[in-house]
Amino acid sequence: MADHSNQGKGYEKYAGILAHPTSFPSPYGVGDLGPGAYAFIDFLERAGMNLWQVLPLGHTGFGDSPYQSFSAFAGQPLIISLDDFKEAGLLWDDDFRDMPNWDPNRVEYGKMIEFKNEMQTRAYHRFRDPSIKDAYSTNPEFMDGFEAFCRDEAEWLDDYALFMAGKFHFNGAPWYTWEDSIKNPTAKSRAEWKEKLADLVGYFQFLQYIFHREWTALREYANNKNIKIVGDVPLFVSWDSADVWCHRKLFDLDSKGYPKTVAGVPPDYFSETGQLWGNPLYKWNVHKKTGYDWWIKRIRHQLTMTDFLRIDHFRGFDRFWAVPYGEETAVNGKWVKAPGVNFFTQLEANLGYHMPIIAEDLGEIDQSVIDLRDKFDLPGMKILQFAFENPDENDFLPHNFTRNCVCYTGTHDNDTTLGWYKKCYEQSRDKLRRYYNTDGNDVCWTMIRACFSSVANMAIVPMQDVLCLDSWARFNTPGSAEGNWTWRFRYEDMTRQLEERLYETAKLYGR
């Protein structure tokens, strides 16, 4: 695990890029942890960047959202590099003969998932076939590592692997519709299902180990180049997840496993009817009695993977929006108090160092959320697009920043800066032009310079803004169920000219 003990208290100035691994160049339909990822790290180094921010790295479920995954602990099998399997002799050139033609600018999730599942299954069966002399199965270091991983991570891995095996067995159906012997397993029936689905259980353990190996190697590569990684933890977990299936007492569910209330946010900047996420809510009184054991393990686990953690929907630790299950929108919800100070006090005590956490403090924020954030010296987020949406004086204008914050041009939930500028009110464009004394013809780099020149400790820019892309490259539109999480870039986008421009801008402002 990385040494986080000196992080957060100092004022080292960071500059970085937000790019989820699915966006990387790759010949296999989706960005992965292979050569495209390493090329991106090299690009960051040459560009003088020292931060890389990702979205949640979990195994995504329906809708392909990184914020809705099958486990709060498992990694995303879809970003495992198939090149790793080829080098190990588990995939052969003939296996790729009928590979689909991919759109280099978009992830086509349907056919990509089918292709990757087929290839990973083929690799696993060859790994288990004693007649095939491949690099993995004849490598004692790999086999010892696999066994050690399964043993060390058993507390979450066993549940996740059996859960995913169950989903495959029941053709993708959610756990609360399974037959009772596995939906509500006893120790005996659980053991029986584990034996019955042993091959599938082994398959998902294998994929998690490969993900772990690839991610650990990539992170070490980045850290050796003085690039730290900012991870992302959603506050809530998916209803159809291993976590809810195995830890039902921690969630507000009825006797059949259905939520009594679900998560969302009230009407805000992004949506007139709010956002209805549908995640089951926590029974915080039960978590408190356990000393927040599940949460502490979750944060500890994520901090073995990244150097900093952004907590999505931080305000939910102060109060959360509870919507009765069955509502069609988030309008008819209510605010409910969360543990706040008590939770973070125990988390910091258990970690033993200042928490390297970024608070996503956007949306409906009141003074109690600000007090919670500031009590633990957590940096909040400043979005430059928001500074000019509001024609009045506001906290997102750089002259109002404090040092302990993270400045973004926009986030994964915003339009690209170019797309935003084209669509926003003329009053907003006029304010931006006057504020930065610009004609607006190079608005993306005007905002990047503004981000880097601010007093914020961290300045992070989406890759789409670095490339000056229009709205077609937007990564996510909150409230929209289709077309999200698909954007990709190419090797040729990472030009020497772009590296030099980023480098000069970062160094000019002491980053």
Side-chain angles (χ1 to χ4, degrees):
M1 181 173 174
D3 178 12
H4 302 277
S5 57
N6 294 320
Q7 295 178 8
K9 289 294 188 184
Y11 287 107
E12 180 178 356
K13 297 187 77 174
Y14 292 93
I17 292 177
L18 166 61
H20 198 51
T22 56
S23 299
F24 292 157
S26 166
Y28 306 121
V30 65
D32 56 39
L33 304 180
Y38 286 85
F40 177 71
I41 297 298
D42 292 340
F43 169 78
L44 291 181
E45 181 189 34
R46 291 191 295 266
M49 302 293 98
N50 52 14
L51 277 184
W52 167 34
Q53 182 170 339
V54 299
L55 304 185
L57 295 166
H59 186 170
T60 52
F62 178 76
D64 309 308
S65 169
Y67 295 90
Q68 298 281 359
S69 67
F70 290 130
S71 168
F73 295 82
Q76 171 63 290
L78 295 177
I79 61 174
I80 290 173
S81 172
L82 296 183
D83 291 323
D84 206 5
F85 292 135
K86 289 174 69 175
E87 292 173 7
L90 298 181
L91 289 176
W92 308 333
D93 289 342
D94 283 352
D95 296 324
F96 295 87
R97 181 174 298 170
D98 298 322
M99 182 171 67
N101 292 319
W102 308 109
D103 184 340
N105 300 313
R106 294 283 186 194
V107 180
E108 301 168 275
Y109 278 100
K111 67 178 184 179
M112 180 276 294
I113 291 172
E114 182 179 359
F115 168 74
K116 278 231 161 174
N117 284 344
E118 180 181 346
M119 300 298 272
Q120 290 174 343
T121 300
R122 192 173 297 174
Y124 174 66
H125 287 158
R126 288 174 181 157
F127 168 71
R128 295 296 300 269
D129 187 344
S131 68
I132 298 176
K133 301 301 181 182
D134 59 78
Y136 278 170
S137 62
T138 58
N139 183 338
E141 181 182 353
F142 175 86
M143 294 305 298
D144 290 345
F146 177 50
E147 292 171 2
F149 175 77
C150 291
R151 181 176 60 251
D152 295 344
E153 306 297 329
E155 188 170 7
W156 68 265
L157 182 62
D158 289 355
D159 292 337
Y160 161 79
L162 182 55
F163 171 83
M164 291 305 303
K167 285 198 69 66
F168 266 62
H169 178 77
F170 291 107
N171 299 312
W175 66 265
Y176 42 87
T177 66
W178 296 350
E179 62 180 77
D180 191 65
S181 61
I182 187 170
K183 174 185 174 182
N184 302 298
T186 62
K188 180 181 178 182
S189 67
R190 180 186 172 92
E192 290 171 348
W193 276 102
K194 186 176 180 180
E195 182 177 355
K196 180 179 180 178
L197 303 178
D199 189 58
L200 279 170
V201 169
Y203 170 67
F204 287 105
Q205 290 174 322
F206 172 73
L207 290 185
Q208 285 305 303
Y209 179 56
I210 300 298
F211 173 89
H212 168 77
R213 277 170 54 91
E214 290 191 359
W215 179 260
T216 300
L218 182 64
R219 182 190 176 189
E220 182 177 353
Y221 187 79
N223 285 174
N224 286 341
K225 293 177 178 291
N226 197 34
I227 296 166
K228 291 183 167 64
I229 301 175
V230 180
D232 199 337
V233 174
L235 175 61
F236 300 111
V237 299
S238 299
W239 179 14
D240 188 23
S241 67
D243 310 281
V244 179
W245 175 59
C246 293
H247 304 288
R248 261 166 271 182
K249 292 182 179 179
L250 299 177
F251 300 91
D252 188 23
L253 308 176
D254 65 20
S255 60
K256 295 182 179 180
Y258 284 74
K260 297 178 183 178
T261 53
V262 295
V265 290
D268 61 8
Y269 169 86
F270 291 112
S271 173
E272 293 181 356
T273 58
Q275 298 177 46
L276 185 62
W277 299 330
N279 309 73
L281 296 173
Y282 297 109
K283 283 186 176 178
W284 280 117
N285 60 326
V286 177
H287 283 268
K288 186 175 181 179
K289 289 177 182 177
T290 68
Y292 306 104
D293 179 66
W294 179 86
W295 259 105
I296 290 170
K297 288 173 180 174
R298 183 186 185 191
I299 296 295
R300 281 187 180 279
H301 177 78
Q302 294 299 324
L303 286 173
T304 66
M305 300 173 63
T306 62
D307 301 285
F308 300 95
L309 277 181
R310 169 191 178 272
I311 293 188
D312 189 63
H313 197 56
F314 173 81
R315 75 137 306 125
F317 282 108
D318 179 65
R319 288 190 303 160
F320 55 89
W321 189 248
V323 182
Y325 177 69
E327 289 283 329
E328 294 184 359
T329 73
V331 171
N332 295 323
K334 65 177 182 179
W335 289 113
V336 179
K337 188 66 179 173
V341 171
N342 185 264
F343 169 77
F344 283 105
T345 298
Q346 294 206 38
L347 175 61
E348 188 166 52
N350 274 272
L351 292 179
Y353 49 80
H354 179 75
M355 296 176 289
I357 287 173
I358 297 167
E360 188 269 291
D361 53 351
L362 307 175
E364 293 285 329
I365 300 299
D366 53 28
Q367 189 60 44
S368 62
V369 180
I370 296 170
D371 292 343
L372 177 63
R373 180 198 69 195
D374 292 350
K375 179 177 178 61
F376 294 93
D377 199 28
L378 305 179
M381 293 172 56
K382 302 296 184 183
I383 313 301
L384 289 181
Q385 289 183 21
F386 293 169
F388 302 100
E389 290 284 354
N390 183 348
D392 302 322
E393 185 75 2
N394 64 76
D395 290 341
F396 293 104
L397 288 163
H399 63 258
N400 290 324
F401 288 5
T402 59
R403 295 174 72 182
N404 192 30
C405 70
V406 187
C407 180
Y408 297 82
T409 52
T411 74
H412 64 278
D413 282 333
N414 294 100
D415 200 347
T416 65
T417 289
L418 181 58
W420 164 82
Y421 184 74
K422 287 181 176 180
K423 296 172 186 174
C424 67
Y425 293 114
E426 174 56 29
Q427 187 179 23
S428 297
R429 290 194 291 266
D430 176 66
K431 181 175 181 178
L432 185 152
R433 290 191 295 263
R434 288 186 291 109
Y435 192 88
Y436 291 119
N437 192 26
T438 178
D439 61 9
N441 287 330
D442 193 14
V443 68
C444 292
W445 278 89
T446 295
M447 294 283 262
I448 291 171
R449 286 192 297 273
C451 193
F452 285 9
S453 66
S454 74
V455 297
N457 288 350
M458 294 183 178
I460 300 175
V461 180
M463 188 65 172
Q464 293 95 319
D465 288 353
V466 174
L467 297 173
C468 303
L469 299 180
D470 209 335
S471 297
W472 70 268
R474 181 171 183 165
F475 208 46
N476 179 49
T477 303
S480 174
E482 298 180 357
N484 297 319
W485 322 112
T486 64
W487 176 76
R488 299 176 64 194
F489 61 93
R490 311 183 191 203
Y491 283 107
E492 53 263 36
D493 291 327
M494 296 181 284
T495 65
R496 184 63 184 165
Q497 181 182 13
L498 199 58
E499 292 169 358
E500 291 175 351
R501 193 173 188 184
L502 279 166
Y503 185 91
E504 290 171 2
T505 305
K507 298 314 170 190
L508 178 63
Y509 297 116
R511 296 192 181 275

